[in-house]
Amino acid sequence: MNLMPKSNSQQKAAPSVLDLEERTWLGAHLRGDQQAFAKLMQAYRKPVYSFLVRNGIDSACRDDVFQEVFLKIHKSAHSYQANRPLSPWIFTIAINTIRNFQRKVQPAILSLEAAAVIEDEAPSPDSTAQLDETIDWLEQAVIQLPPAQAEAFTLSIIKGMKIKQVSEILGLPLNTIKTQLRRARQTLLDSFQSNKDNHPGVKHDQ
């Protein structure tokens, strides 16, 4: 058995071809390549828009916030370091834009209303039925999460980012992010159990 510790290069997965290509876009954009920023927008239009939906940005304001995110990406292009992944950098700008918007217009809450609106395929009838049965209690539970927990939950669970990336985006220690996620999950589990207890006529799997 090989008990020798792995080197840093072995522990860290090599960047994908797409990731390496993404890292060149902003540099090319700054050099006047008109196609580079178009590629970035094409790649991140849907993820960023979906991120706004899942963070409760009202549909009436969503397009304005979306445009503000990409305007800030354009203006901040010079600050991007090409030796680092692009996605966390972009979502750092997105989360800060959302925070600024919420401070001005909305309370700092998370809503899952239309959380699945940006999907490649329509949900199955069974999925739709399950969503209809749970959306009321789930939305209320998520709304009650403290803003810091809601942000960590959205990035990690909904967006699927690694905890290290969430830590970088929110500027918080890894242990703090783990604690927020644990508390958020527990809150949602408690809400689900309470919903079951308050609706004894609803059939649940054993």
Side-chain angles (χ1 to χ4, degrees), residues 46 49-51 53-55 62 111-124 127-128 131 135 138 158:
K46 181 176 176 179
Y49 197 86
S50 179
F51 189 63
V53 172
R54 289 164 176 167
N55 273 277
R62 200 173 296 145
S111 171
L112 287 188
E113 179 182 6
V117 70
I118 311 297
E119 296 293 343
D120 291 330
E121 297 180 355
S124 66
S127 297
T128 301
L131 181 61
I135 190 61
L138 180 58
I158 298 178

Side-chain angles (χ1 to χ4, degrees), residues 117-177:
V117 70
I118 311 297
E119 296 293 343
D120 291 330
E121 297 180 355
S124 66
D126 288 343
S127 297
T128 301
Q130 291 174 1
L131 181 61
D132 289 340
E133 292 174 359
T134 61
I135 190 61
D136 289 339
W137 73 262
L138 180 58
E139 181 177 10
Q140 290 303 314
V142 176
I143 286 176
Q144 294 303 317
L145 289 176
Q149 291 181 28
E151 290 173 350
F153 184 84
T154 301
L155 290 170
S156 178
I157 306 303
I158 298 178
K159 189 68 185 70
M161 287 187 174
K162 296 181 179 179
I163 293 180
K164 183 177 180 181
Q165 292 179 317
V166 178
S167 173
E168 292 176 352
I169 289 174
L170 298 181
L172 297 171
L174 285 172
N175 287 340
T176 300
I177 298 299

